[in-house]
Amino acid sequence: MDKQERVEAVNQIIQAIGDRGRGFFSDQNGNYARFVLVGDKRKFLHFLNADGSYVNPYDLRRDRHFKHGGTLWALVQDFKDFILTGSYTNGKHGYGGLFASGWGYPDNEMDEIIKLAREVGFLRQAATV
């Protein structure tokens, strides 16, 4: 999977998160946060909030323009690492990733998100508790 395919895979997960539960990464107008690659020869990864405002995903400290909380910032960092390296990164940034229990989403909806994340290649195996 190349970098653009990984961006598309992560954006599918972000939309699934926005369509369910508490609607993280989405707004009232039906817009979703997303990653985009920008540039001609050398492509740079950008993260856009649901309102289209730019957030620097390269800085590990939460960007002041990020519209969501720290747990979602850690997930964005995992997504960024996956897009850039192609390596499995779920939970690397210290919050438990998609397997964490603190999402506040119904179990069946989290199961759907996890299933999608496996299908698109972000997750490779079930969590071990």
Side-chain angles (χ1 to χ4, degrees):
M1 184 177 335
D2 69 17
K3 198 181 291 186
Q4 181 61 46
E5 291 169 326
R6 292 190 299 269
V7 165
E8 292 166 11
V10 164
N11 286 339
Q12 286 181 43
I13 299 168
I14 289 171
Q15 185 166 346
I17 291 169
D19 285 342
R20 291 167 177 79
R22 298 166 65 186
F24 294 139
F25 293 127
S26 65
D27 67 12
Q28 300 83 2
N29 299 321
N31 300 312
Y32 298 92
R34 65 198 176 282
F35 281 95
V36 293
L37 289 172
V38 178
D40 294 325
K41 285 187 177 182
R42 186 166 180 208
K43 303 221 183 264
F44 290 94
L45 186 64
H46 290 236
F47 181 80
L48 302 174
N49 287 308
D51 67 3
S53 60
Y54 168 80
V55 176
N56 177 7
Y58 292 96
D59 192 345
L60 292 179
R61 296 168 294 159
R62 189 168 52 145
D63 186 296
R64 64 184 171 88
H65 297 104
F66 188 66
K67 305 276 189 204
H68 313 283
T71 299
L72 293 179
W73 180 248
L75 182 61
V76 165
Q77 293 301 301
D78 282 348
F79 286 156
K80 173 201 66 164
D81 289 351
F82 172 72
I83 291 167
L84 295 177
T85 67
S87 299
Y88 298 105
T89 59
N90 185 56
K92 174 181 173 185
H93 291 278
Y95 66 98
L98 293 177
F99 296 116
S101 60
W103 279 81
Y105 278 41
D107 289 341
N108 65 318
E109 291 184 353
M110 280 309 300
D111 290 343
E112 293 169 0
I113 293 167
I114 289 168
K115 180 181 179 202
L116 172 65
R118 283 191 183 119
E119 289 172 0
V120 299
F122 178 70
L123 296 177
R124 66 174 164 191
Q125 60 189 9
T128 55
V129 181

